[in-house]
Amino acid sequence: MLIVMKADATDAQVAEVVRVIEELGYRAHPLPGATRTAIGITGNQGAVDVSRFENLAGVAEAIRVSKPYKLITLDLRPEKTVVRVGDASIGGDELAIIAGPCAVESRAQAFSVAEAVRRSGARFFRGGAFKPRTSPYAFQGLGEEGLKILAEVREVYGLKIVTEALDEAGVDMVERYGDVIQIGARNMQNFSLLKRAGRSPLPVLLKRGLSATLDEWLLAAEYVMSEGNYNVVLCERGIRTFAQHTRNTLDLAAIPAVRRISHLPVIVDPSHGTGKNYMVNPLARAGVAVGADGLIIEVHDQPERALSDGAQALTIEQYEQLVNEVRAIHEVIAPTPVG
Ligand code: PEP
Ligand code: MN
């Protein structure tokens, strides 16, 4: 059930609807929009009684939702969500660029990449302190020491920090040092992690699972939102297919597919999406051309020495060229209409 308030509904009227929803034992999710506030209802097992709401002051209509998702949908919020991270944002008019190494390896490495990221005008720095590696013997990240380096990068360069939490304790730590919680492909259906991130004050960057359908991915976002955190950014990072010429198959059709259903911003990760240095730039350009709200790019000052994902890391020069090219493309494409 979804309660759409009249355009001129007052805050007190919204609060009264929320009170009634909670009195019935459900959870209310008021999402203010450009023209009206809509209130999603979750926590109900069966149908909610429409008549309970129709006559409340300020209510335009009560709509039954038959789809599996309630909060990510354009029915709840017809205009795009802009996820604000301090004075930066993802989903607004500006193309969001998140760049940095796969893993924080040292202060010197993080700083030399961050300097280039800052110079490029990007607002976000990425870098893993906890790495989800296929092998337990591969570099696992610097842990809290890595987060401390990221916090220094934030301080020195004014960049917002996007970094992965592998588990619930990791979310506590990212909250202490970072700005955006990344949930990786391998954890897209780690439901306790999603719920914990849903109770965080920080925005969540939710990567698509290695073989997740669109519905599974959107329902993972729904998990985060159902706990009250509405600042979710979706990230297409490639899925597993039979193709062997790339690490993953970057599913760029997912961008318009998400757009048709959801108000959430969606970005593209051409680094993990291809796994190959020479493919990152062309697929980044394509991602912007299909309407992505941003890109997340792996950059290393010495890719040949990277402790993880070196094959897909851009050099600083390659990264600078990419930024110039994707900005030019972003400028010529009009905002993608919804639907
Ligand atoms: C990463 O961003 O370095 C990463 C591990 O990504 P993914 O979860 O998409 O594999
Ligand atoms: Mn990586």
Side-chain angles (χ1 to χ4, degrees):
M1 170 89 67
L2 166 65
I3 312 292
V4 179
M5 302 300 290
K6 290 179 181 158
D8 60 357
T10 63
D11 288 352
Q13 289 168 340
V14 172
E16 174 59 11
V17 174
V18 168
R19 194 193 62 75
V20 172
I21 293 168
E22 288 171 353
E23 191 181 79
L24 290 167
Y26 309 139
R27 182 156 186 173
H29 303 268
L31 251 70
T35 54
R36 43 73 156 174
T37 291
I39 307 167
I41 302 178
T42 61
N44 55 305
Q45 295 308 330
V48 179
D49 183 7
V50 176
S51 64
R52 189 73 184 78
F53 296 97
E54 276 172 343
N55 298 327
L56 291 178
V59 171
E61 54 177 336
I63 306 170
R64 280 192 206 294
V65 182
S66 54
K67 296 172 191 145
Y69 18 73
K70 299 164 184 253
L71 304 176
I72 59 107
T73 152
L74 289 166
D75 297 333
L76 182 62
R77 191 184 161 88
E79 64 275 354
K80 271 175 66 178
T81 286
V82 179
V83 170
R84 297 195 191 282
V85 188
D87 60 349
S89 60
I90 306 174
D93 293 339
E94 199 183 320
L95 180 72
I97 296 178
I98 304 167
C102 178
V104 177
E105 298 169 7
S106 69
R107 191 172 182 277
Q109 172 243 22
F111 270 58
S112 80
V113 179
E115 203 270 322
V117 172
R118 175 69 243 182
R119 198 165 3 98
S120 75
R123 305 298 313 278
F124 299 89
F125 187 75
R126 64 146 293 148
F130 300 98
K131 295 305 302 176
R133 304 304 300 281
T134 301
S135 163
Y137 310 118
F139 176 59
Q140 304 285 305
L142 296 180
E144 189 166 10
E145 188 194 332
L147 290 176
K148 287 182 178 163
I149 293 171
L150 289 170
E152 269 191 77
V153 164
R154 170 166 65 179
E155 200 57 33
V156 172
Y157 296 101
L159 294 163
K160 310 294 177 204
I161 303 300
V162 179
T163 193
E164 180 163 357
L166 291 181
D167 48 31
E168 292 167 68
V171 176
D172 295 341
M173 290 231 229
V174 173
E175 283 175 351
R176 235 172 288 146
Y177 300 102
D179 299 298
V180 177
I181 304 161
Q182 178 174 325
I183 294 189
R186 289 153 195 83
N187 267 323
M188 190 206 79
Q189 284 189 316
N190 180 337
F191 299 117
S192 51
L193 179 61
L194 294 173
K195 286 188 193 170
R196 171 64 186 86
R199 293 190 292 272
S200 177
L202 297 189
V204 174
L205 177 72
L206 180 62
K207 296 250 194 148
R208 182 177 179 183
L210 301 175
S211 58
T213 64
L214 184 65
D215 268 357
E216 288 164 343
W217 187 23
L218 293 173
L219 285 168
E222 191 78 29
Y223 261 92
V224 177
M225 294 184 75
S226 69
E227 293 293 325
N229 186 349
Y230 309 123
N231 291 311
V232 179
V233 177
L234 297 164
C235 176
E236 164 60 39
R237 50 77 73 204
I239 47 170
R240 191 157 283 191
T241 69
F242 54 81
Q244 291 173 330
H245 59 288
T246 49
R247 178 178 179 185
N248 292 295
T249 296
L250 189 63
D251 176 17
L252 290 179
I255 309 307
V258 166
R259 245 331 157 260
R260 201 177 175 88
I261 300 172
S262 179
H263 53 84
L264 293 175
V266 55
I267 69 166
V268 166
D269 175 348
S271 304
H272 296 87
T274 63
K276 293 187 194 297
N277 173 289
Y278 77 97
M279 288 186 182
V280 173
N281 183 326
L283 273 295
R285 294 187 309 227
V288 173
V290 294
D293 294 298
L295 297 169
I296 180 165
I297 307 286
E298 287 190 348
V299 189
H300 201 288
D301 57 339
Q302 292 174 291
E304 65 290 351
R305 296 209 177 172
L307 298 181
S308 63
D309 287 352
Q312 67 198 33
L314 297 188
T315 63
I316 285 169
E317 296 70 36
Q318 288 172 330
Y319 165 69
E320 286 166 345
Q321 183 176 348
L322 177 147
V323 170
N324 289 335
E325 293 182 13
V326 296
R327 287 233 172 93
I329 292 170
H330 187 251
E331 241 170 66
V332 296
I333 54 165
T336 316
V338 162

